[in-house]
Amino acid sequence: MQDFDVAIIGGGLTGIGAALKLVKNNVNVAVIEAHEIGAGASGRNGGLVCSGYRHDQIWLEEKMGKSEAHELWDISQGAKKNLENILSENQINADYEKGLLFCAHNKRMFDWLQSDMAHLQNEYSYNDLEILDESECNHAISTKDYKGGVLDKGAGRVHPLKLLYGMANAAIKNGAIIYEKTRAIAIEENSNGVKIIHENGHINAKNLLICGDGYLHSINQEVEAKVLPISSFVIATEKLDFDLMPNAIGAMDTKFVVNYFQKTFDNRLLFGGGEKYTPNWPKDIAGFVRKNLLKIYPQLENVKIEHAWGGALGITPTRLPFVRKIGKAIYSASGYSGQGVLLAPFFGDILGQMILGDAQKFETLSKMPVPDFPGGRMFRFPLLTAAMSYYSILDKLP
Ligand SMILES: Cc1cc2nc3c(=O)[nH]c(=O)nc-3n(C[C@H](O)[C@H](O)[C@H](O)COP(=O)(O)OP(=O)(O)OC[C@H]3O[C@@H](n4cnc5c(N)ncnc54)[C@H](O)[C@@H]3O)c2cc1C
């Protein structure tokens, strides 16, 4: 039973990003984590650091207007600066390297990548992009599978768990208290702020930040109506004695069920591909992902898969993160829809900025349109499964 200025539910990149910002500004913070730091998506992801959001800027301009779309783009670019500052200020070595290739799985998507690049250059003065034609793209990552791509020299990859541990250690050093193996089970707002009841007792705080993303169960109905978990799966090969990606550090493709992969610091191929929309995971995760890997890299047929795992990530109906004030003293950020490695630490920082009195970026993020998933509590999951399965069929079209 203790009192804090700010309590944070969730010890992932969002929660720890917020904690770090706050303790560096002398705010008294407690993080409550149901398992251990990094047990959620932040310790299990593919480590790709992507520019922008899941929708391109033209889509954002149409939905939100030019000026808001520009503010969102500036925030996503700010997230890169934030990542670099976190790494350097706290002396974290998290294998951060740049050079991420976006690969088009058909001609139509290659046309889209090129027009997206032209728009980013002309409208946003973003000049870190380079078009690679079919043969340059395939050569860059040693495959024959893609119709062309765009190399983003401002994006890249990081080792997410090294990043998160580094951030958590820095937060602790600056005074954060982290309670692991402590699941929050209920929240009660009162005149002093919020009471968070957890498995081992309760804590009181003036403000609460809910940062549970795809792992949040039955804590807040508003967040859970907009952010649903899906599962993604990853494998890592044995160490390779050749360079599979001579001209990139990582890649992802334009499929709805995206394949994403990177060359790790110890020269393994880390490959994510394959999703599940129900809680039933494949019995053989390695086999489930490997068949997607072999479509892109048939030459790795005889390479050993040494690690295989999965995790849940929060997605929203519009694929835009859900950032909102959801109570008198309760705020939340989640639903990065597969782009949280870069965004989550900065959105955590922005939650922190808001608590410290600068709500400008928080308000911009709060304008992102995120409706409830259709179907209510009963039918949300079946409808999500049906919709995702439908879109994944479109990946098979030429
Ligand atoms: C397999 C996989 C691959 C991915 N690959 C990429 C990628 O390459 N690039 C990219 O940008 N994004 C990727 N993502 C998404 C990215 O990892 C997430 O967007 C990001 O980590 C979200 O961070 P978070 O802190 O919001 O949530 P999480 O890291 O999921 O943390 C939430 C935490 O909250 C805790 N929690 C939940 N409820 C409670 C409670 N009631 N009480 C206490 N604690 C609670 C959980 O235990 C968990 O540790 C991937 C995700 C997965 C699963």
Side-chain angles (χ1 to χ4, degrees), residues 278-387:
T278 64
N280 304 324
W281 278 16
K283 283 204 179 75
D284 171 16
I285 293 178
F288 177 71
V289 182
R290 186 170 175 271
K291 64 180 190 315
N292 296 323
L293 177 147
L294 290 181
K295 282 184 205 149
I296 297 166
Y297 288 121
Q299 70 268 39
L300 299 188
E301 171 78 48
N302 296 320
V303 165
K304 259 198 267 157
I305 306 299
E306 291 195 341
H307 305 276
W309 67 92
L313 58 128
I315 64 163
T316 65
T318 47
R319 302 291 177 279
L320 295 174
F322 177 62
V323 181
R324 292 288 189 283
K325 181 170 184 182
I326 50 174
K328 261 199 299 196
I330 308 180
Y331 308 84
S332 187
S334 59
Y336 305 98
S337 304
Q339 291 213 184
V341 169
L342 180 65
L343 297 179
F346 195 43
F347 282 26
D349 189 279
I350 289 171
L351 289 176
Q353 292 175 30
M354 195 260 323
I355 298 280
L356 293 165
D358 176 2
Q360 201 190 341
K361 292 192 185 70
F362 177 81
E363 272 159 20
T364 301
L365 295 177
S366 301
K367 290 183 199 151
M368 282 192 276
V370 181
D372 285 4
F373 272 101
R377 279 184 92 76
M378 186 93 114
F379 295 110
R380 277 204 286 268
F381 273 104
L383 285 176
L384 171 75
T385 306

Side-chain angles (χ1 to χ4, degrees), residues 29 32 44 63 75 102 154 168 195 209 212 239 268 290 321 330 365 378:
V29 171
I32 305 170
R44 304 168 167 271
K63 292 277 175 233
I75 288 177
F102 281 85
K195 177 175 175 181
L209 307 179
K239 289 180 192 169
R268 299 167 192 272
R290 186 170 175 271
I330 308 180
L365 295 177
M378 186 93 114

Side-chain angles (χ1 to χ4, degrees), residues 95-355:
D95 309 323
Y96 178 45
E97 279 185 74
K98 289 182 181 169
L100 184 62
L101 183 57
F102 281 85
C103 308
H105 71 286
N106 59 30
K107 167 86 178 52
R108 189 173 51 86
M109 292 315 284
F110 188 37
D111 291 344
W112 170 74
L113 278 179
Q114 292 176 83
S115 64
D116 183 47
M117 170 173 146
H119 190 69
L120 287 174
Q121 281 173 335
N122 298 335
E123 182 69 33
Y124 294 85
S125 308
Y126 185 61
N127 293 315
D128 281 340
L129 301 173
E130 182 189 335
I131 292 187
L132 304 189
D133 66 20
E134 182 167 348
S135 84
E136 289 166 331
C137 172
N138 286 325
H139 173 260
I141 55 167
S142 308
T143 178
K144 294 183 176 149
D145 218 42
Y146 294 112
K147 301 295 174 209
V150 167
L151 182 64
D152 186 346
K153 295 173 203 152
R157 72 101 157 87
V158 71
H159 187 306
L161 197 54
K162 286 187 186 174
L163 169 66
L164 181 61
Y165 281 169
M167 289 167 65
N169 281 329
I172 291 167
K173 238 191 245 163
N174 283 276
I177 296 191
I178 299 181
Y179 296 106
E180 293 184 305
K181 297 193 173 33
T182 304
R183 176 174 292 279
I185 46 185
I187 296 165
E188 290 170 11
E189 285 203 85
N190 54 44
S191 54
N192 298 320
V194 191
K195 177 175 175 181
I196 301 106
I197 299 154
H198 57 75
E199 291 166 325
N200 312 315
H202 74 266
I203 61 174
N204 298 311
K206 290 185 195 128
N207 291 287
L208 170 66
L209 307 179
I210 301 184
C211 308
D213 198 42
Y215 286 82
L216 203 65
H217 304 291
S218 312
I219 276 285
N220 182 276
Q221 291 207 5
E222 187 174 350
V223 178
E224 287 161 55
K226 291 160 197 301
V227 181
L228 286 186
I230 65 166
S231 302
S232 181
F233 302 93
V234 182
I235 53 181
T237 66
E238 63 185 318
K239 289 180 192 169
L240 304 176
D241 54 11
F242 52 91
D243 189 357
L244 189 67
M245 296 192 199
N247 289 330
I249 195 70
M252 62 195 291
D253 63 26
T254 47
K255 290 189 170 168
F256 181 76
V257 180
V258 57
N259 292 300
Y260 51 98
F261 36 104
Q262 60 138 306
K263 183 162 69 175
T264 64
F265 68 104
D266 58 351
N267 204 33
R268 299 167 192 272
L269 176 67
L270 185 150
F271 187 95
E275 293 174 351
K276 287 276 174 200
Y277 312 120
T278 64
N280 304 324
W281 278 16
K283 283 204 179 75
D284 171 16
I285 293 178
F288 177 71
V289 182
R290 186 170 175 271
K291 64 180 190 315
N292 296 323
L293 177 147
L294 290 181
K295 282 184 205 149
I296 297 166
Y297 288 121
Q299 70 268 39
L300 299 188
E301 171 78 48
N302 296 320
V303 165
K304 259 198 267 157
I305 306 299
E306 291 195 341
H307 305 276
W309 67 92
L313 58 128
I315 64 163
T316 65
T318 47
R319 302 291 177 279
L320 295 174
F322 177 62
V323 181
R324 292 288 189 283
K325 181 170 184 182
I326 50 174
K328 261 199 299 196
I330 308 180
Y331 308 84
S332 187
S334 59
Y336 305 98
S337 304
Q339 291 213 184
V341 169
L342 180 65
L343 297 179
F346 195 43
F347 282 26
D349 189 279
I350 289 171
L351 289 176
Q353 292 175 30
M354 195 260 323
I355 298 280

